[in-house]
Amino acid sequence: MLELTMAAVAGTDAGSTAGMLMAEAPSEPGAVLRVGRDRAACRLATPEDWLFVSRVHLEFRCGAEGAWRVTWLRGSQPDPSAEVRLTVGAQGGPLGYGATAELPRGGSGEIVVRDRTSPRSLSVGFYHEV
C-alpha cells in the first residue's frame, strides 16, 4: 500500500498543514495515484489557480512486484514554472522535468513542488507500507 499526504503552503502559511489531503492505493501492478490541478484525473488536487502545478504533475505508479515509482510528467510548456525535490531519509535532491525515481520499499519520504515565481509550495509525503 502506498499512502500519500499533501499540503499546500502559500507564503504566510509556512509550516501550516491546513487543507491536508490524503490518498492511498494498494501495491498491485498498474495501480496509479496522480497529483495535479485536474480534479477529474488526480486523487490529490491543488487549487486550480496554482498554475505552477500542471493539470497532472506527479504520477505514482506501481510496477512489477509492488515497487512504486514517481514521475514528474512533462506538461504543455517546454520549461516548467516549478522545481521538484525528492527527499528519502537524509538523502535529497532534485527530480528532473520528465524524470522518474523509484521509491524505497517500506520507506517514506517527501516530494516538494516549489513555485519559481512565488512563495508557494506543495508538499507530498509518502509512505510505502509492505
Side-chain angles (χ1 to χ4, degrees), residues 46-77:
T46 66
E48 290 179 23
D49 64 342
W50 281 35
L51 300 180
F52 72 98
V53 176
S54 301
R55 284 183 202 85
V56 180
H57 200 88
L58 299 173
E59 181 177 83
F60 294 83
R61 181 173 293 275
C62 187
E65 301 176 22
W68 282 90
R69 293 187 168 155
V70 61
T71 301
W72 178 7
L73 300 172
R74 293 188 69 85
S76 60
Q77 302 299 318

mmCIF file of all heavy atoms in Angstrom, residues 46-77:
data_model
loop_
_atom_site.group_PDB
_atom_site.id
_atom_site.type_symbol
_atom_site.label_atom_id
_atom_site.label_comp_id
_atom_site.label_asym_id
_atom_site.label_seq_id
_atom_site.Cartn_x
_atom_site.Cartn_y
_atom_site.Cartn_z
ATOM 1 N N THR A 46 -4.584 20.266 -6.333
ATOM 2 C CA THR A 46 -4.203 21.566 -5.799
ATOM 3 C C THR A 46 -5.264 22.599 -6.180
ATOM 4 O O THR A 46 -6.140 22.324 -7.004
ATOM 5 C CB THR A 46 -2.854 22.014 -6.385
ATOM 6 O OG1 THR A 46 -3.020 22.233 -7.786
ATOM 7 C CG2 THR A 46 -1.774 20.984 -6.146
ATOM 8 N N PRO A 47 -5.158 23.815 -5.637
ATOM 9 C CA PRO A 47 -6.058 24.873 -6.093
ATOM 10 C C PRO A 47 -5.898 25.085 -7.604
ATOM 11 O O PRO A 47 -4.788 24.991 -8.139
ATOM 12 C CB PRO A 47 -5.577 26.105 -5.309
ATOM 13 C CG PRO A 47 -4.958 25.527 -4.065
ATOM 14 C CD PRO A 47 -4.311 24.253 -4.523
ATOM 15 N N GLU A 48 -6.999 25.352 -8.299
ATOM 16 C CA GLU A 48 -6.979 25.493 -9.759
ATOM 17 C C GLU A 48 -6.106 26.639 -10.243
ATOM 18 O O GLU A 48 -5.590 26.587 -11.354
ATOM 19 C CB GLU A 48 -8.400 25.659 -10.282
ATOM 20 C CG GLU A 48 -9.226 24.408 -10.162
ATOM 21 C CD GLU A 48 -10.638 24.596 -10.662
ATOM 22 O OE1 GLU A 48 -10.886 25.510 -11.470
ATOM 23 O OE2 GLU A 48 -11.497 23.810 -10.247
ATOM 24 N N ASP A 49 -5.944 27.682 -9.427
ATOM 25 C CA ASP A 49 -5.154 28.840 -9.860
ATOM 26 C C ASP A 49 -3.663 28.675 -9.568
ATOM 27 O O ASP A 49 -2.882 29.586 -9.840
ATOM 28 C CB ASP A 49 -5.688 30.133 -9.241
ATOM 29 C CG ASP A 49 -5.579 30.166 -7.723
ATOM 30 O OD1 ASP A 49 -5.419 29.089 -7.099
ATOM 31 O OD2 ASP A 49 -5.664 31.267 -7.154
ATOM 32 N N TRP A 50 -3.244 27.528 -9.079
ATOM 33 C CA TRP A 50 -1.820 27.265 -8.853
ATOM 34 C C TRP A 50 -1.223 26.753 -10.155
ATOM 35 O O TRP A 50 -0.970 25.566 -10.328
ATOM 36 C CB TRP A 50 -1.634 26.265 -7.716
ATOM 37 C CG TRP A 50 -1.780 26.880 -6.363
ATOM 38 C CD1 TRP A 50 -2.631 27.891 -6.018
ATOM 39 C CD2 TRP A 50 -1.059 26.562 -5.191
ATOM 40 N NE1 TRP A 50 -2.490 28.192 -4.696
ATOM 41 C CE2 TRP A 50 -1.526 27.395 -4.163
ATOM 42 C CE3 TRP A 50 -0.063 25.630 -4.905
ATOM 43 C CZ2 TRP A 50 -1.020 27.342 -2.870
ATOM 44 C CZ3 TRP A 50 0.427 25.564 -3.611
ATOM 45 C CH2 TRP A 50 -0.039 26.421 -2.603
ATOM 46 N N LEU A 51 -0.979 27.653 -11.080
ATOM 47 C CA LEU A 51 -0.553 27.286 -12.425
ATOM 48 C C LEU A 51 0.865 26.734 -12.497
ATOM 49 O O LEU A 51 1.255 26.189 -13.529
ATOM 50 C CB LEU A 51 -0.720 28.475 -13.364
ATOM 51 C CG LEU A 51 -2.153 28.986 -13.493
ATOM 52 C CD1 LEU A 51 -2.206 30.165 -14.440
ATOM 53 C CD2 LEU A 51 -3.102 27.892 -13.917
ATOM 54 N N PHE A 52 1.647 26.843 -11.417
ATOM 55 C CA PHE A 52 2.978 26.224 -11.410
ATOM 56 C C PHE A 52 2.882 24.708 -11.297
ATOM 57 O O PHE A 52 3.849 23.989 -11.535
ATOM 58 C CB PHE A 52 3.864 26.814 -10.306
ATOM 59 C CG PHE A 52 3.488 26.397 -8.903
ATOM 60 C CD1 PHE A 52 4.158 25.365 -8.260
ATOM 61 C CD2 PHE A 52 2.479 27.047 -8.211
ATOM 62 C CE1 PHE A 52 3.837 24.982 -6.971
ATOM 63 C CE2 PHE A 52 2.148 26.685 -6.912
ATOM 64 C CZ PHE A 52 2.830 25.641 -6.294
ATOM 65 N N VAL A 53 1.696 24.221 -10.961
ATOM 66 C CA VAL A 53 1.421 22.785 -10.908
ATOM 67 C C VAL A 53 0.643 22.426 -12.170
ATOM 68 O O VAL A 53 -0.370 23.052 -12.483
ATOM 69 C CB VAL A 53 0.596 22.423 -9.654
ATOM 70 C CG1 VAL A 53 0.232 20.944 -9.651
ATOM 71 C CG2 VAL A 53 1.344 22.793 -8.385
ATOM 72 N N SER A 54 1.113 21.448 -12.909
ATOM 73 C CA SER A 54 0.439 21.013 -14.138
ATOM 74 C C SER A 54 -0.901 20.369 -13.817
ATOM 75 O O SER A 54 -1.161 19.980 -12.680
ATOM 76 C CB SER A 54 1.300 19.991 -14.885
ATOM 77 O OG SER A 54 2.547 20.527 -15.210
ATOM 78 N N ARG A 55 -1.704 20.210 -14.850
ATOM 79 C CA ARG A 55 -3.000 19.534 -14.659
ATOM 80 C C ARG A 55 -2.777 18.160 -14.025
ATOM 81 O O ARG A 55 -3.495 17.762 -13.130
ATOM 82 C CB ARG A 55 -3.730 19.393 -15.989
ATOM 83 C CG ARG A 55 -4.345 20.677 -16.467
ATOM 84 C CD ARG A 55 -5.123 20.436 -17.768
ATOM 85 N NE ARG A 55 -5.283 21.664 -18.493
ATOM 86 C CZ ARG A 55 -4.380 22.172 -19.332
ATOM 87 N NH1 ARG A 55 -3.264 21.534 -19.573
ATOM 88 N NH2 ARG A 55 -4.604 23.311 -19.950
ATOM 89 N N VAL A 56 -1.789 17.424 -14.535
ATOM 90 C CA VAL A 56 -1.336 16.171 -13.915
ATOM 91 C C VAL A 56 0.170 16.331 -13.780
ATOM 92 O O VAL A 56 0.908 16.265 -14.749
ATOM 93 C CB VAL A 56 -1.696 14.930 -14.760
ATOM 94 C CG1 VAL A 56 -1.206 13.671 -14.063
ATOM 95 C CG2 VAL A 56 -3.199 14.858 -15.009
ATOM 96 N N HIS A 57 0.632 16.587 -12.574
ATOM 97 C CA HIS A 57 2.024 16.970 -12.325
ATOM 98 C C HIS A 57 2.896 15.774 -11.942
ATOM 99 O O HIS A 57 3.957 15.561 -12.519
ATOM 100 C CB HIS A 57 2.063 18.021 -11.209
ATOM 101 C CG HIS A 57 3.317 18.825 -11.177
ATOM 102 N ND1 HIS A 57 3.462 19.983 -11.903
ATOM 103 C CD2 HIS A 57 4.471 18.638 -10.522
ATOM 104 C CE1 HIS A 57 4.667 20.488 -11.682
ATOM 105 N NE2 HIS A 57 5.299 19.682 -10.842
ATOM 106 N N LEU A 58 2.449 15.031 -10.944
ATOM 107 C CA LEU A 58 3.188 13.858 -10.463
ATOM 108 C C LEU A 58 2.335 12.613 -10.654
ATOM 109 O O LEU A 58 1.124 12.650 -10.415
ATOM 110 C CB LEU A 58 3.523 13.991 -8.971
ATOM 111 C CG LEU A 58 4.390 15.156 -8.539
ATOM 112 C CD1 LEU A 58 4.458 15.222 -7.023
ATOM 113 C CD2 LEU A 58 5.780 15.047 -9.142
ATOM 114 N N GLU A 59 2.999 11.537 -11.067
ATOM 115 C CA GLU A 59 2.297 10.268 -11.182
ATOM 116 C C GLU A 59 3.064 9.217 -10.403
ATOM 117 O O GLU A 59 4.253 9.002 -10.634
ATOM 118 C CB GLU A 59 2.177 9.842 -12.640
ATOM 119 C CG GLU A 59 1.433 8.522 -12.794
ATOM 120 C CD GLU A 59 1.260 8.132 -14.233
ATOM 121 O OE1 GLU A 59 2.215 7.542 -14.791
ATOM 122 O OE2 GLU A 59 0.196 8.421 -14.789
ATOM 123 N N PHE A 60 2.375 8.578 -9.469
ATOM 124 C CA PHE A 60 2.924 7.460 -8.701
ATOM 125 C C PHE A 60 2.332 6.200 -9.331
ATOM 126 O O PHE A 60 1.114 6.060 -9.420
ATOM 127 C CB PHE A 60 2.499 7.556 -7.231
ATOM 128 C CG PHE A 60 3.065 8.743 -6.516
ATOM 129 C CD1 PHE A 60 2.466 9.990 -6.620
ATOM 130 C CD2 PHE A 60 4.203 8.622 -5.736
ATOM 131 C CE1 PHE A 60 2.981 11.093 -5.962
ATOM 132 C CE2 PHE A 60 4.726 9.716 -5.064
ATOM 133 C CZ PHE A 60 4.118 10.954 -5.182
ATOM 134 N N ARG A 61 3.199 5.287 -9.771
ATOM 135 C CA ARG A 61 2.739 4.083 -10.462
ATOM 136 C C ARG A 61 3.410 2.863 -9.851
ATOM 137 O O ARG A 61 4.614 2.843 -9.623
ATOM 138 C CB ARG A 61 3.065 4.167 -11.947
ATOM 139 C CG ARG A 61 2.588 2.960 -12.753
ATOM 140 C CD ARG A 61 2.783 3.149 -14.234
ATOM 141 N NE ARG A 61 1.945 4.199 -14.778
ATOM 142 C CZ ARG A 61 0.680 4.031 -15.179
ATOM 143 N NH1 ARG A 61 0.123 2.842 -15.084
ATOM 144 N NH2 ARG A 61 -0.003 5.034 -15.679
ATOM 145 N N CYS A 62 2.603 1.835 -9.611
ATOM 146 C CA CYS A 62 3.120 0.588 -9.053
ATOM 147 C C CYS A 62 3.465 -0.362 -10.188
ATOM 148 O O CYS A 62 2.643 -0.627 -11.073
ATOM 149 C CB CYS A 62 2.077 -0.045 -8.134
ATOM 150 S SG CYS A 62 2.703 -1.477 -7.231
ATOM 151 N N GLY A 63 4.675 -0.859 -10.166
ATOM 152 C CA GLY A 63 5.145 -1.782 -11.202
ATOM 153 C C GLY A 63 5.146 -3.216 -10.704
ATOM 154 O O GLY A 63 4.473 -3.566 -9.730
ATOM 155 N N ALA A 64 5.929 -4.017 -11.361
ATOM 156 C CA ALA A 64 6.041 -5.429 -11.015
ATOM 157 C C ALA A 64 6.490 -5.601 -9.566
ATOM 158 O O ALA A 64 7.259 -4.808 -9.041
ATOM 159 C CB ALA A 64 7.034 -6.107 -11.959
ATOM 160 N N GLU A 65 5.965 -6.606 -8.942
ATOM 161 C CA GLU A 65 6.343 -6.986 -7.575
ATOM 162 C C GLU A 65 6.090 -5.897 -6.545
ATOM 163 O O GLU A 65 6.748 -5.848 -5.511
ATOM 164 C CB GLU A 65 7.801 -7.449 -7.543
ATOM 165 C CG GLU A 65 8.058 -8.631 -8.456
ATOM 166 C CD GLU A 65 9.521 -9.026 -8.498
ATOM 167 O OE1 GLU A 65 10.272 -8.691 -7.555
ATOM 168 O OE2 GLU A 65 9.908 -9.682 -9.479
ATOM 169 N N GLY A 66 5.172 -4.986 -6.820
ATOM 170 C CA GLY A 66 4.783 -3.982 -5.830
ATOM 171 C C GLY A 66 5.723 -2.813 -5.650
ATOM 172 O O GLY A 66 5.624 -2.089 -4.672
ATOM 173 N N ALA A 67 6.651 -2.603 -6.574
ATOM 174 C CA ALA A 67 7.586 -1.471 -6.489
ATOM 175 C C ALA A 67 6.902 -0.206 -7.031
ATOM 176 O O ALA A 67 6.288 -0.230 -8.092
ATOM 177 C CB ALA A 67 8.843 -1.766 -7.294
ATOM 178 N N TRP A 68 7.031 0.910 -6.296
ATOM 179 C CA TRP A 68 6.416 2.181 -6.691
ATOM 180 C C TRP A 68 7.458 3.124 -7.269
ATOM 181 O O TRP A 68 8.601 3.160 -6.810
ATOM 182 C CB TRP A 68 5.759 2.853 -5.488
ATOM 183 C CG TRP A 68 4.444 2.253 -5.126
ATOM 184 C CD1 TRP A 68 4.232 1.235 -4.258
ATOM 185 C CD2 TRP A 68 3.162 2.629 -5.627
ATOM 186 N NE1 TRP A 68 2.894 0.949 -4.178
ATOM 187 C CE2 TRP A 68 2.223 1.794 -5.011
ATOM 188 C CE3 TRP A 68 2.731 3.593 -6.542
ATOM 189 C CZ2 TRP A 68 0.848 1.906 -5.274
ATOM 190 C CZ3 TRP A 68 1.373 3.694 -6.802
ATOM 191 C CH2 TRP A 68 0.448 2.850 -6.166
ATOM 192 N N ARG A 69 7.034 3.913 -8.261
ATOM 193 C CA ARG A 69 7.879 4.946 -8.874
ATOM 194 C C ARG A 69 7.074 6.225 -8.954
ATOM 195 O O ARG A 69 5.855 6.193 -9.088
ATOM 196 C CB ARG A 69 8.302 4.544 -10.279
ATOM 197 C CG ARG A 69 9.223 3.368 -10.270
ATOM 198 C CD ARG A 69 9.744 3.103 -11.650
ATOM 199 N NE ARG A 69 10.840 2.155 -11.511
ATOM 200 C CZ ARG A 69 11.219 1.349 -12.443
ATOM 201 N NH1 ARG A 69 10.631 1.357 -13.607
ATOM 202 N NH2 ARG A 69 12.226 0.528 -12.244
ATOM 203 N N VAL A 70 7.781 7.338 -8.912
ATOM 204 C CA VAL A 70 7.143 8.642 -9.116
ATOM 205 C C VAL A 70 7.758 9.281 -10.356
ATOM 206 O O VAL A 70 8.968 9.205 -10.556
ATOM 207 C CB VAL A 70 7.296 9.564 -7.881
ATOM 208 C CG1 VAL A 70 8.752 9.849 -7.553
ATOM 209 C CG2 VAL A 70 6.513 10.861 -8.077
ATOM 210 N N THR A 71 6.921 9.903 -11.178
ATOM 211 C CA THR A 71 7.365 10.594 -12.382
ATOM 212 C C THR A 71 6.841 12.020 -12.358
ATOM 213 O O THR A 71 5.661 12.245 -12.067
ATOM 214 C CB THR A 71 6.844 9.893 -13.660
ATOM 215 O OG1 THR A 71 7.330 8.554 -13.671
ATOM 216 C CG2 THR A 71 7.308 10.614 -14.910
ATOM 217 N N TRP A 72 7.736 12.979 -12.639
ATOM 218 C CA TRP A 72 7.308 14.359 -12.851
ATOM 219 C C TRP A 72 6.951 14.424 -14.331
ATOM 220 O O TRP A 72 7.824 14.453 -15.193
ATOM 221 C CB TRP A 72 8.415 15.341 -12.494
ATOM 222 C CG TRP A 72 8.064 16.781 -12.726
ATOM 223 C CD1 TRP A 72 6.849 17.292 -13.090
ATOM 224 C CD2 TRP A 72 8.931 17.907 -12.600
ATOM 225 N NE1 TRP A 72 6.909 18.657 -13.198
ATOM 226 C CE2 TRP A 72 8.179 19.064 -12.909
ATOM 227 C CE3 TRP A 72 10.269 18.042 -12.275
ATOM 228 C CZ2 TRP A 72 8.731 20.340 -12.887
ATOM 229 C CZ3 TRP A 72 10.820 19.317 -12.254
ATOM 230 C CH2 TRP A 72 10.050 20.453 -12.543
ATOM 231 N N LEU A 73 5.668 14.391 -14.620
ATOM 232 C CA LEU A 73 5.207 14.369 -16.005
ATOM 233 C C LEU A 73 5.487 15.697 -16.691
ATOM 234 O O LEU A 73 5.326 16.763 -16.093
ATOM 235 C CB LEU A 73 3.707 14.073 -16.049
ATOM 236 C CG LEU A 73 3.288 12.734 -15.443
ATOM 237 C CD1 LEU A 73 1.776 12.640 -15.376
ATOM 238 C CD2 LEU A 73 3.859 11.583 -16.232
ATOM 239 N N ARG A 74 5.902 15.624 -17.944
ATOM 240 C CA ARG A 74 6.128 16.841 -18.716
ATOM 241 C C ARG A 74 4.777 17.455 -19.047
ATOM 242 O O ARG A 74 3.862 16.768 -19.474
ATOM 243 C CB ARG A 74 6.908 16.535 -19.983
ATOM 244 C CG ARG A 74 8.344 16.080 -19.669
ATOM 245 C CD ARG A 74 9.190 15.969 -20.900
ATOM 246 N NE ARG A 74 9.482 17.265 -21.487
ATOM 247 C CZ ARG A 74 10.493 18.075 -21.115
ATOM 248 N NH1 ARG A 74 11.293 17.687 -20.132
ATOM 249 N NH2 ARG A 74 10.685 19.217 -21.710
ATOM 250 N N GLY A 75 4.665 18.768 -18.842
ATOM 251 C CA GLY A 75 3.431 19.482 -19.130
ATOM 252 C C GLY A 75 3.428 20.050 -20.535
ATOM 253 O O GLY A 75 4.235 19.658 -21.387
ATOM 254 N N SER A 76 2.555 21.003 -20.765
ATOM 255 C CA SER A 76 2.412 21.598 -22.093
ATOM 256 C C SER A 76 3.494 22.636 -22.388
ATOM 257 O O SER A 76 3.674 23.034 -23.532
ATOM 258 C CB SER A 76 1.033 22.247 -22.221
ATOM 259 O OG SER A 76 0.880 23.253 -21.235
ATOM 260 N N GLN A 77 4.223 23.081 -21.376
ATOM 261 C CA GLN A 77 5.271 24.085 -21.558
ATOM 262 C C GLN A 77 6.636 23.408 -21.665
ATOM 263 O O GLN A 77 6.900 22.419 -20.979
ATOM 264 C CB GLN A 77 5.290 25.062 -20.373
ATOM 265 C CG GLN A 77 3.975 25.792 -20.147
ATOM 266 C CD GLN A 77 3.580 26.642 -21.336
ATOM 267 O OE1 GLN A 77 4.410 27.313 -21.941
ATOM 268 N NE2 GLN A 77 2.307 26.599 -21.685
#
